[in-house]
Amino acid sequence: MKTPGDTGFAFPEWAYKPESSPGSRQIQLWHFILELLRKEEYHDVIAWQGDYGEFVIKDPDEVARLWGARKCKPQMNYDKLSRALRYYYNKRILHKTKGKRFTYKFNFNKLVLVNYPFIDMGSGRGVPQSAPPVPTGGSHFRFPPSTPSEVLSSSEELRSPGMFSSVARRMARGSVSDCSDGTSTNSELEEAVGVDERGVGPDRAFRGLLPPRLPHDSLFRVYGGAPNPAGLPRPAPRVHPEPLSPFPVSPLPGPGGLLAPTLSPALSMTPTPHLAYTPSPSLSSPMVGSHFSFNPEDMKHYLQAHNQSVYNYHLSPRAFLHYPNIVIPQPHRPTPEKPPSHHLHAPPLALSHSLSQHPGGGEEGQLLTSQFKFKLQPPPLGRKQREAGSSLAVSASSSSSQSSFTTNSVLTAGPPKIKVEPISDIESEEEVEVTDLSEEEELNREDDERNIFTPMAHHHHHQINSNNHQANANSSSPSAPLPPHYDDPDDDEEVFKTPATPPIGSGSLAYPLIDLKTEPGQAAPISPGGTRCIPLKLRFKRRWSKDQKMEADGDRDEAKDKKVRAEGAEEGEGNKQEKGVRGGEMENERGRGGGVILGLVLPPPPTQRRASSELQRATAQLSLENTGC
DNA sequence: CCCGGAATAA
DNA sequence: TTATTCCGGG
């Protein structure tokens, strides 16, 4: 029932959920926090401070009040709000900065910036302090950026601006709703919102970045849609700064080839296990062999669409950041307070623009899931299988695991092929729903790489590391020596950063993106910061394992898992290798929630516009849906 | 203050 | 699922 599966495989439900898109669904606390952070008006109550994603709640009661107003929960208070924030610890959206009162830190690594493409944390334009979020690398877990790219990336991550407008406005509006209380706050928000309105610059180029590991998922999540017929000439990069965000858009170098390369990896994702994933990066684009009916071009389109959607919906800074081949001229010197050059920032998506252009799309219904034209393949099998087996037995009892996966089992059992149902060409509305990409993607990406393709992958990897503790809030020094083994305590995962990018261009960013695919060869040498050079593979593994550990735990049942892991606990040490190993069981899936995001981003080809517009509409609509209390 | 479990609403 | 509520404990 739930899954529409009639026609083919449908994704499991979780795949459809828009997890955390601000527009869709109710506003989530972290979105709200971000929103406040970006508004100068609220700098007196909450502001960025310290490291990268660190912020301090200067007036807890006020923040609580605002939140309560938005959610129409007049009874809200800091105690409750903070409880909600604490839930984010597990999700790894936030963590507490120890020792500092009312200070929390976003784990942007994992976050999905959903609709907030780039948050400018530092927006401090007005406020001096607010800017700090630039990642200096100093933070505890962050490794010093050995490669420039890293540096940039980080900075980029944070900042970005502008696109927010569309989002913002929606949020604001929708959210406001009228509570009976009518807190004044709303009005403010609205005002603010109203202002930005105008379309944001339309498309600007984005810099595409591909994540090192390709998210297979993304492929999976294909979206039909985007038939972009055209060729994609890339539009000239226009840079025009938005009012909000001052960041210049970085000029994109010719993007031309991007797609191809990108695709290739993607291709690799093909579900069929038999295709092994080829490590070699070459771009062979043609991966198409699998059952897909698509040819590479199609895939391309899909990917593009996907990307867009990604942009629109969730962005994960991570995705952007690390992979870009951005080259930065400077060595690393993080300048904490001010963002150095942001050459890169990615331009936001142009969604808003389209929005404005297309006035109303009118029908909204279409947007959402209602129509997926194609279905994607289910997540990799993995755990489920196991579970299934065992679960059968167990199931009777209770099993926590639930059903949602039933589909999976089927899937797993079934042929690997993905079934995609392309719609014919649809143009009109195909939407791609991107829904969540969050954790899952992350997981998947990693896992998938190997897991999917190579089922056996899981395996060992144990020992991951423990996390150190991050506790100290302070950053040590940027130049600090790298820890012997990095870890990411919380998550910061930058764990494996991407391999450094080859110095491609010179200063400009190159866009290469995709190439990054992680090749071991290259990567290794560069390894970040010196963190020891860990072979990519290892890194992946590590990451993987880590994720597993964490996410796995977190994943589905986060709560439950948590319990399990209780001992390890976060901060330190914990290693539970066992868990890690065990992790194998979990491989995959689900992520659910939290938000995170995304996997790949491609540079948006101009052609996409169409798609984008649609997306926009969709997003717009989504946003509309706010509930009003 | 901060942490999380538990129950529960939406 | 994501909060909200309530609450005992550091």
Side-chain angles (χ1 to χ4, degrees):
Chain A
M1 311 178 163
K2 358 174 131 198
T3 58
D6 347 20
T7 63
F9 295 88
F11 285 104
E13 299 174 34
W14 52 265
Y16 296 90
K17 295 175 98 190
E19 298 246 340
S20 43
S21 149
S24 61
R25 213 178 189 169
Q26 270 224 321
I27 186 165
Q28 284 182 301
L29 177 59
W30 64 273
H31 291 139
F32 179 76
I33 297 289
L34 245 31
E35 186 176 324
L36 294 180
L37 287 167
R38 78 177 282 281
K39 294 179 186 294
E40 296 181 5
E41 306 91 284
Y42 298 103
H43 283 356
D44 293 335
V45 299
I46 185 170
W48 293 112
Q49 190 236 27
D51 285 342
Y52 183 39
E54 216 170 83
F55 64 94
V56 57
I57 294 173
K58 297 174 181 171
D59 186 345
D61 293 333
E62 181 62 10
V63 173
R65 192 179 67 79
L66 292 168
W67 173 237
R70 182 164 277 198
K71 294 291 293 293
C72 298
K73 294 287 189 232
Q75 302 295 319
M76 184 55 64
N77 56 33
Y78 179 72
D79 181 57
K80 292 170 185 171
L81 182 145
S82 64
R83 180 72 190 88
L85 292 175
R86 273 179 245 128
Y87 273 119
Y88 287 139
Y89 300 168
N90 294 327
K91 293 178 179 334
R92 293 188 4 279
I93 291 171
L94 284 179
H95 61 73
K96 183 76 182 67
T97 295
K98 292 177 183 122
K100 293 182 181 176
R101 266 178 36 156
F102 308 122
T103 302
Y104 297 83
K105 188 167 179 239
F106 275 99
N107 284 331
F108 283 105
N109 293 318
K110 232 175 177 183
L111 253 184
V112 172
L113 303 184
V114 182
N115 281 276
Y116 299 72
F118 290 25
I119 298 174
D120 43 346
M121 314 173 91
S123 60
R125 320 178 198 9
V127 179
Q129 197 116 11
S130 46
V134 174
T136 59
S139 38
H140 27 353
F141 18 118
R142 253 174 158 65
F143 316 128
S146 43
T147 62
S149 59
E150 279 189 289
V151 173
L152 283 183
S153 60
S154 42
S155 57
E156 267 189 15
E157 291 184 19
L158 302 184
R159 43 202 5 232
S160 67
M163 326 195 37
F164 219 112
S165 52
S166 61
V167 172
R169 64 146 124 39
R170 313 177 191 156
M171 293 183 66
R173 306 177 155 246
S175 49
V176 176
S177 67
D178 40 5
C179 294
S180 34
D181 298 10
T183 57
S184 60
T185 59
N186 294 339
S187 60
E188 291 185 6
L189 290 176
E190 288 185 7
E191 273 189 274
V193 172
V195 174
D196 52 350
E197 205 29 328
R198 69 293 258 70
V200 174
D203 25 327
R204 13 205 29 29
F206 310 37
R207 55 176 179 186
L209 314 167
L210 230 33
R213 0 65 135 183
L214 308 176
H216 315 359
D217 282 5
S218 45
L219 282 186
F220 286 91
R221 298 165 159 127
V222 177
Y223 308 80
N228 303 322
L232 5 145
R234 82 178 306 30
R238 329 160 142 213
V239 174
H240 78 313
E242 293 189 353
L244 291 178
S245 58
F247 307 85
V249 174
S250 55
L252 303 171
L258 298 179
L259 295 176
T262 15
L263 291 179
S264 55
L267 293 178
S268 55
M269 3 173 346
T270 56
T272 56
H274 38 322
L275 293 184
Y277 140 107
T278 56
S280 44
S282 30
L283 355 132
S284 39
S285 37
M287 56 173 308
V288 188
S290 57
H291 301 9
F292 283 153
S293 55
F294 302 86
N295 27 8
E297 289 187 357
D298 289 339
M299 291 297 289
K300 221 196 239 165
H301 291 138
Y302 286 107
L303 288 178
Q304 292 179 358
H306 178 265
N307 287 336
Q308 283 235 336
S309 51
V310 169
Y311 273 97
N312 294 317
Y313 292 90
H314 319 66
L315 295 186
S316 142
R318 209 202 226 163
F320 294 112
L321 304 175
H322 313 27
Y323 312 113
N325 289 319
I326 307 176
V327 177
I328 298 176
Q330 333 188 8
H332 10 352
R333 205 208 156 90
T335 39
E337 302 210 90
K338 35 177 47 162
S341 41
H342 353 344
H343 307 39
L344 345 157
H345 0 8
L349 342 140
L351 301 180
S352 54
H353 175 47
S354 330
L355 266 177
S356 49
Q357 279 188 332
H358 301 281
E363 26 286 242
E364 27 287 55
Q366 48 190 23
L367 300 175
L368 294 191
T369 55
S370 49
Q371 338 213 8
F372 283 93
K373 298 185 154 197
F374 33 70
K375 293 131 172 247
L376 293 184
Q377 178 174 7
L381 11 136
R383 170 234 229 152
K384 286 142 181 193
Q385 266 192 320
R386 272 181 163 180
E387 276 189 10
S390 59
S391 66
L392 285 176
V394 175
S395 60
S397 50
S398 59
S399 55
S400 35
S401 47
Q402 356 200 338
S403 55
S404 47
F405 295 119
T406 54
T407 51
N408 268 341
S409 51
V410 172
L411 292 174
T412 54
K417 31 174 93 182
I418 290 181
K419 206 161 198 154
V420 176
E421 296 185 355
I423 308 173
S424 14
D425 7 35
I426 337 173
E427 318 183 55
S428 3
E429 10 216 325
E430 32 234 344
E431 290 248 333
V432 183
E433 216 184 271
V434 177
T435 63
D436 59 332
L437 310 168
S438 3
E439 291 184 345
E440 257 190 341
E441 285 207 346
E442 284 193 359
L443 284 181
N444 290 339
R445 314 163 157 156
E446 291 151 9
D447 308 348
D448 288 355
E449 282 191 357
R450 338 179 135 284
N451 282 337
I452 291 185
F453 302 95
T454 51
M456 6 184 87
H458 18 345
H459 22 357
H460 28 1
H461 48 311
H462 9 266
Q463 203 129 29
I464 318 184
N465 76 255
S466 32
N467 330 290
N468 297 332
H469 50 309
Q470 62 176 44
N472 325 349
N474 313 330
S475 45
S476 36
S477 49
S479 50
L482 317 162
H485 48 358
Y486 55 10
D487 42 319
D488 11 333
D490 0 334
D491 23 337
D492 289 304
E493 347 248 7
E494 295 238 334
V495 179
F496 37 178
K497 306 187 122 260
T498 78
T501 66
I504 296 179
S506 23
S508 46
L509 356 129
Y511 240 134
L513 342 167
I514 314 178
D515 281 331
L516 302 172
K517 33 193 64 274
T518 54
E519 267 196 344
Q522 287 184 337
I526 304 175
S527 68
T531 56
R532 351 149 116 226
C533 317
I534 299 175
L536 260 182
K537 235 178 182 171
L538 261 185
R539 294 199 250 178
F540 280 121
K541 265 185 171 176
R542 212 183 168 146
R543 199 221 173 61
W544 181 73
S545 53
K546 183 183 165 169
D547 281 331
Q548 295 247 341
K549 194 196 234 180
M550 298 186 130
E551 296 197 359
D553 295 4
D555 285 310
R556 215 205 215 191
D557 344 40
E558 293 184 347
K560 297 175 181 175
D561 286 341
K562 264 177 141 173
K563 293 179 178 181
V564 175
R565 57 148 82 170
E567 29 179 358
E570 30 231 322
E571 285 203 356
E573 30 267 294
N575 2 264
K576 352 168 149 231
Q577 307 180 345
E578 300 176 358
K579 252 186 175 174
V581 174
R582 249 166 89 265
E585 359 180 254
M586 22 215 37
E587 9 213 0
N588 10 277
E589 31 252 299
R590 80 231 12 5
R592 102 212 145 326
V596 187
I597 278 204
L598 137 47
L600 48 131
V601 179
L602 292 180
T607 57
Q608 300 180 308
R609 277 172 156 309
R610 223 248 246 66
S612 63
S613 63
E614 292 181 1
L615 282 178
Q616 291 191 347
R617 285 198 287 156
T619 55
Q621 301 202 345
L622 286 176
S623 57
L624 293 179
E625 63 169 315
N626 258 327
T627 61
C629 302

